Amino acid sequence: MNASAISVSSLRKTYREGTFRKRKVEALQGVTFDVQKGEIFGLLGPNGAGKTTLIKILLGIVRRSGGDAKVLGLTAGSLKMRSHVGYLPENHRIPQHLTGNTALEYYGALSGLSGQAIRQARPKVLEQVGLSKRAKSSVSGYSKGMLQRLGLAQAMLHDPDLIVLDEPTDGVDPVGRREIRQVLHRLKQEGKTVFLNSHLLQETELVSDRVAILNRGRLQKVATVDELTNVETEVRFELCARTEAVEEAAKPFAERIAVVAEPSSAGTSAKAAVSDQADIDLLVDAWRAAGISIVSLSRAKATLEDAFIALIGSAEKNSDAQTSDSAEEAVEIDDDLFEDEKPA
Ligand SMILES: Nc1ncnc2c1ncn2[C@@H]1O[C@H](COP(=O)(O)OP(=O)(O)OP(=O)(O)O)[C@@H](O)[C@H]1O
C-alpha cells in the first residue's frame, strides 16, 4: 500500500503562447516531492511560481508535459482518483439564492452524488464546519468565512481521503481564519490529507506540518515548518549581575556562542546567537553556576515568512543564469494520462 497521498516526480509543464504557439513558458521544470497520508501540506511560492499549474495537473484540469504525478497511488486527474479527492477552488462563488443545505445538494449533484447520499452526508459535514445551525439560512447572509466553510463542506461531502484547497482563507477575517484552521485540524485528526495552496504565510505556518516552496517552476525546498523556522536565532537575557561577570561566565563558550552584553536596569542585557536549545542550556547553566540570577529570557524565532523570503531571495540571485531558453524540448503526453481507467 502506497503511503504517499501525492507523489510527483520530475514533473514538467510547458505552456505555448503567441503566434504559432512558438513562445514557451516553462511553468514547472522537473518538480519532485511526496505528500504523506494524514499530513497538512502547504504549497508556497511567489506569483507565477507554478502552484496553480501543479494543482491543475493533480486534478486533471491541465495535462503535464513530462514526468509523473500520482494521487493516492492513482494517475493524477483520472476519474477514479477524483472520486477520492475533494477540491475547494480559489474565489469559488455559491449562487446567492441557495441555503447551506441546498448549496450542498447543488454541488453534490454536480459531482455525481445521489440525492440520498447527499442527504445522508450533509449533517455530518455541516457539523464538521460548524454550520449546522445556519444550514437553512440563505447564503446571501453568510460572512466570507462562512462561505469558505460551506465551500469546505462541499469538498468534504463525498468523504474524500485528500482535500485540495486553493487559497481557503483569502479575504477571510482573523476569526473566520481561525475557524477554518480548526476545521483543517479536525480533518487531520480524522486521518485525511490536506493539500493547501496559500499565499498567506502566517496561516500556512499555523496549520501545516510540511511545506514545499516553489519558485519559477523549480522546487526550492520541502521541509517541516519547524525545520524552516528553527534557524540560528537570537536569544535575549536580562541578568541580575555586573556585565563583566556575565561575560566572564560565558567566555568558555565564546567560539560556539557569540554573546554581546551591556549594562541595563536589571544589571546586564545579553544577546546570544544560538543554534539550538543546547546552546541556551549551556549559557543558563554557566550563569547560574556563577550565582547570576536570570530575570528573563526571550527567543526570537524566525517566521515562515523570514525563511520564505531568505530562500526566494537567494534563488533569485542565481536565477539569471537559468533563462527559459532550455534546449530540451518538452513533449506533450496525451496517451498515458488516464491509463488506470482503461479496462483491464
Ligand atoms: N494557460 C496558460 N498559458 C500560458 N502560460 C500560462 C498559463 N497558465 C499559467 N501560465 C504561466 O505559467 C507560469 C506559472 O503560472 P501559475 O499560475 O501556475 O503560477 P502560480 O504560482 O499559481 O501564480 P499565482 O500565485 O500568481 O497564482 C506563469 O509564468 C504563468 O504566466
Side-chain angles (χ1 to χ4, degrees):
M1 182 82 182
N2 191 341
S4 294
I6 296 173
S7 180
V8 299
S9 115
S10 307
L11 193 62
R12 302 173 58 87
K13 176 65 193 178
T14 305
Y15 292 109
R16 292 172 186 277
E17 283 189 328
T19 324
F20 307 117
R21 300 180 8 110
K22 267 190 167 169
R23 203 174 80 78
K24 290 199 280 182
V25 180
E26 307 272 8
L28 295 174
Q29 305 187 54
V31 172
T32 301
F33 68 90
D34 272 32
V35 176
Q36 301 305 309
K37 283 183 181 161
E39 69 178 345
I40 302 182
F41 192 96
L43 182 63
L44 304 174
N47 292 133
K51 306 180 297 293
T52 307
T53 300
L54 186 97
I55 287 186
K56 285 181 174 172
I57 291 174
L58 294 178
L59 297 170
I61 300 166
V62 157
R63 285 215 163 100
R64 67 193 191 275
S65 308
D68 195 21
K70 290 264 189 293
V71 175
L72 301 164
L74 304 164
T75 299
S78 63
L79 271 185
K80 194 170 170 195
M81 177 224 92
R82 288 190 227 182
S83 66
H84 296 284
V85 177
Y87 176 47
L88 174 64
E90 185 179 8
N91 297 325
H92 69 100
R93 284 183 178 275
I94 301 174
Q96 294 286 293
H97 64 278
L98 297 174
T99 64
N101 272 336
T102 54
L104 292 182
E105 275 170 21
Y106 173 72
Y107 287 108
L110 279 184
S111 55
L113 287 177
S114 70
Q116 197 194 2
I118 296 167
R119 281 189 295 280
Q120 258 177 10
R122 206 168 48 183
K124 185 185 171 200
V125 291
L126 285 169
E127 168 78 40
Q128 280 174 311
V129 300
L131 284 177
S132 301
K133 289 190 181 134
R134 298 296 300 271
K136 291 180 183 160
S137 313
S138 164
V139 300
S140 60
Y142 279 23
S143 66
K144 177 81 196 214
M146 290 165 73
L147 288 170
Q148 288 301 83
R149 281 187 280 139
L150 186 58
L152 265 169
Q154 72 70 29
M156 290 150 55
L157 201 57
H158 58 298
D159 195 24
D161 299 310
L162 168 69
I163 295 156
V164 178
L165 308 173
D166 206 349
E167 302 287 2
T169 50
D170 206 15
V172 178
D173 67 22
V175 175
R177 291 207 294 267
R178 192 171 60 186
E179 286 163 349
I180 291 171
R181 279 202 303 276
Q182 287 167 347
V183 177
L184 301 189
H185 283 304
R186 247 175 268 144
L187 286 171
K188 180 181 156 71
Q189 279 166 5
E190 285 182 15
K192 309 286 188 194
T193 309
V194 178
F195 189 74
L196 178 72
N197 175 25
S198 174
H199 69 272
L200 297 174
L201 295 173
Q202 247 180 319
E203 283 303 304
T204 312
E205 179 170 358
L206 287 171
V207 83
S208 301
D209 298 309
R210 289 197 304 147
V211 296
I213 298 180
L214 271 183
N215 189 31
R216 298 188 185 205
R218 292 177 195 274
L219 190 68
Q220 299 297 326
K221 188 104 180 164
V222 181
T224 64
V225 171
D226 276 351
E227 282 164 355
L228 282 169
T229 56
N230 269 340
V231 290
E232 185 173 287
T233 51
E234 192 177 88
V235 179
R236 288 164 184 268
F237 297 89
E238 280 302 320
L239 302 150
C240 194
R242 285 186 305 112
T243 302
E244 298 77 52
V246 167
E247 286 172 337
E248 188 60 32
K251 227 179 209 167
F253 319 112
E255 276 192 15
R256 173 168 169 174
I257 314 166
V259 177
V260 178
E262 59 184 21
S264 71
S265 55
T268 298
S269 260
K271 286 190 275 186
V274 299
S275 311
D276 53 25
Q277 185 62 41
D279 284 354
I280 301 174
D281 292 344
L282 273 179
L283 287 174
V284 169
D285 290 348
W287 284 325
R288 291 299 300 129
I292 296 171
S293 292
I294 297 166
V295 181
S296 71
L297 177 164
S298 57
R299 186 168 184 162
K301 208 181 173 202
T303 63
L304 185 57
E305 185 170 292
D306 296 332
F308 177 82
I309 288 171
L311 264 170
I312 298 300
S314 63
E316 288 302 302
K317 278 188 199 146
N318 301 328
S319 68
D320 287 345
Q322 297 163 353
T323 47
S324 62
D325 58 353
S326 159
E328 207 177 335
E329 187 68 21
V331 182
E332 289 288 340
I333 294 180
D334 292 338
D335 299 338
D336 65 348
L337 184 64
F338 302 115
E339 66 193 353
D340 63 351
E341 281 163 26
K342 288 176 189 162

